[in-house]
Amino acid sequence: MVNHPQKLRKQRAHKKGMPIWLKILFMSFLLVIIAGVTFAGFTFYKLNQLGATINDGAEERQPSKLRREDVNVDDKDPISIALFGIDSDETREGLGERSDSIMILSVNPNTNKTVMVSIPRDTRAEIVGNDSVEKINHAYAYGGPQMAKDSIENLMNVPIDHYVSINMDGLKDLIDIVGGVTVVSNSTFEVKGNSYVEGLPYDMYGEEALAFIRSRYENGSGGDFGRQERQQLVIEALGDKLLSASSITRINSILDTLGHNVKTDLTMSNIQDIGTKYNGARRNVEGLQLEGAGETLDDGLWYFLPDENNLEEISNEYIENLELE
């Protein structure tokens, strides 16, 4: 049995520069949706068409079992959202797609505060509904977003009200549509014939950007944690392009691509409300990461094992922001 100490830092948002909410939420998953909603003001028909495509199970959605009553976005209730990045490289044979990135956000528009928690995809957890204990990113493959939400609730002991997932392959098409992105590399490494130096900027189109995002085994790439950071960097750059005036001329292509790669149980009305009524919470964001250790267990697989005291502390802080007793 080999131990790999792994302690993840607790990060807090800074008021200077771009807030963490934008870097994680808008620059990851909801950004591409809300950007589409913003642009769709010019094409009402396309907005309705997008809503019909991305809304997945909104009508059949069940409230969290950890809630006394369901949340109402229109009433500005504090909400909890799970964000899933789905990578086709992680598809299991005969099953669905694994969630390559997992984050949860507790958003309180009344106190203008957001608590964000990153959950390592290799976290050892019970897969609720599958009667197994394995890596938490397997839950999405076995039972889609509902099983993933249930498993996160069980691990963190917090309610998950809604989810948003985006197929990371769809980023390639979006990046090509907006004319490429410029990204400052977080590491010094080589992948697929391209070399990167930490701290230097690089212009990328879709295929190169996807290889840059997915790199984890190459020397210097930083493994899974380096890959997750690169996902954020690329999507941040993409978000800037999506929100630029030049993208308005590409609105039809952008919305078509979003429709093929984004799924959520939020309605279009919910999404628009989040983009307006929850706006103040962007400016006060606390980003948290689980502390723990990595270890190869008897099954020969490497897991991230959260520290139980730290897990409870983060869960309590997350729940407090939801104003739950």
Side-chain angles (χ1 to χ4, degrees):
M1 185 178 297
V2 180
N3 293 324
H4 302 279
Q6 181 73 48
K7 189 171 183 179
L8 302 180
R9 296 190 304 275
K10 181 176 181 178
Q11 302 175 335
R12 296 188 181 272
H14 301 283
K15 292 184 179 179
K16 295 182 179 180
M18 185 173 290
I20 291 179
W21 169 281
L22 288 175
K23 288 187 177 180
I24 302 298
L25 182 57
F26 282 131
M27 294 181 310
S28 295
F29 310 111
L30 287 184
L31 173 58
V32 293
I33 300 176
I34 293 187
V37 171
T38 301
F39 294 139
F42 296 94
T43 53
F44 183 74
Y45 170 76
K46 293 295 293 185
L47 174 59
N48 289 334
Q49 189 179 58
L50 175 65
T53 305
I54 70 172
N55 294 148
D56 184 22
E59 294 182 357
E60 294 80 20
R61 171 186 163 271
Q62 297 295 318
S64 168
K65 295 179 180 178
L66 299 182
R67 292 275 197 185
R68 293 181 179 176
E69 57 185 40
D70 199 10
V71 296
N72 189 324
V73 174
D74 187 56
D75 290 341
K76 296 180 63 175
D77 289 342
I79 60 173
S80 175
I81 303 174
L83 309 177
F84 301 112
I86 308 303
D87 195 328
S88 62
D89 274 3
E90 296 298 324
T91 300
R92 302 189 66 181
E93 184 176 355
L95 294 172
E97 301 156 312
R98 296 182 185 179
S99 48
D100 185 54
S101 299
I102 305 171
M103 287 173 275
I104 57 175
L105 294 111
S106 166
V107 189
N108 190 329
N110 303 315
T111 60
N112 288 330
K113 180 178 179 180
T114 295
V115 173
M116 176 192 66
V117 182
S118 297
I119 301 176
R121 66 184 204 151
D122 291 329
T123 300
R124 189 172 185 268
E126 178 184 353
I127 308 301
V128 176
N130 194 60
D131 194 27
S132 64
V133 177
E134 49 193 297
K135 295 183 180 183
I136 195 166
N137 72 325
H138 293 182
Y140 203 104
Y142 293 138
Q146 186 60 54
M147 186 174 288
K149 286 168 56 181
D150 291 343
S151 299
I152 292 172
E153 285 192 339
N154 184 71
L155 171 69
M156 301 295 299
N157 195 30
V158 302
I160 303 297
D161 302 312
H162 292 282
Y163 83 92
V164 177
S165 64
I166 181 170
N167 185 340
M168 301 301 285
D169 282 338
L171 295 180
K172 174 182 176 296
D173 295 333
L174 282 173
I175 291 170
D176 287 338
I177 288 169
V178 300
V181 295
T182 300
V183 179
V184 176
S185 180
N186 65 328
S187 305
T188 298
F189 66 101
E190 296 183 4
V191 60
K192 293 193 174 181
N194 293 307
S195 300
Y196 305 99
V197 176
E198 182 178 357
L200 294 184
Y202 296 88
D203 296 329
M204 305 178 186
Y205 275 85
E207 186 173 351
E208 180 182 352
L210 209 58
F212 179 78
I213 285 176
R214 287 174 168 166
S215 177
R216 56 174 167 161
Y217 296 120
E218 289 75 14
N219 185 35
S221 65
D224 282 335
F225 294 102
R227 177 169 71 164
Q228 291 172 14
E229 184 177 359
R230 280 187 291 279
Q231 289 174 350
Q232 297 169 11
L233 290 171
V234 169
I235 299 171
E236 173 183 354
L238 173 60
D240 290 340
K241 278 293 192 75
L242 283 172
L243 292 174
S244 67
S246 62
S247 290
I248 294 176
T249 61
R250 305 180 178 97
I251 182 60
N252 286 340
S253 296
I254 289 172
L255 292 182
D256 286 343
T257 302
L258 289 176
H260 285 99
N261 293 284
V262 175
K263 294 295 181 183
T264 179
D265 63 356
L266 288 159
T267 65
M268 293 306 293
S269 176
N270 291 155
I271 294 168
Q272 289 174 300
D273 283 337
I274 290 172
T276 55
K277 297 179 180 180
Y278 290 66
N279 189 54
R282 304 181 200 176
R283 299 177 179 87
N284 183 22
V285 182
E286 184 176 20
L288 308 176
Q289 289 185 318
L290 298 180
E291 296 176 1
E295 185 174 334
T296 301
L297 300 184
D298 292 341
D299 59 5
L301 299 178
W302 188 93
Y303 295 92
F304 175 77
L305 306 176
D307 177 83
E308 291 297 329
N309 291 330
N310 173 256
L311 181 66
E312 182 178 2
E313 177 185 349
I314 288 179
S315 296
N316 288 339
E317 189 166 350
Y318 191 93
I319 288 175
E320 182 180 352
N321 194 55
L322 292 175
E323 299 181 350
L324 295 177
E325 297 179 0

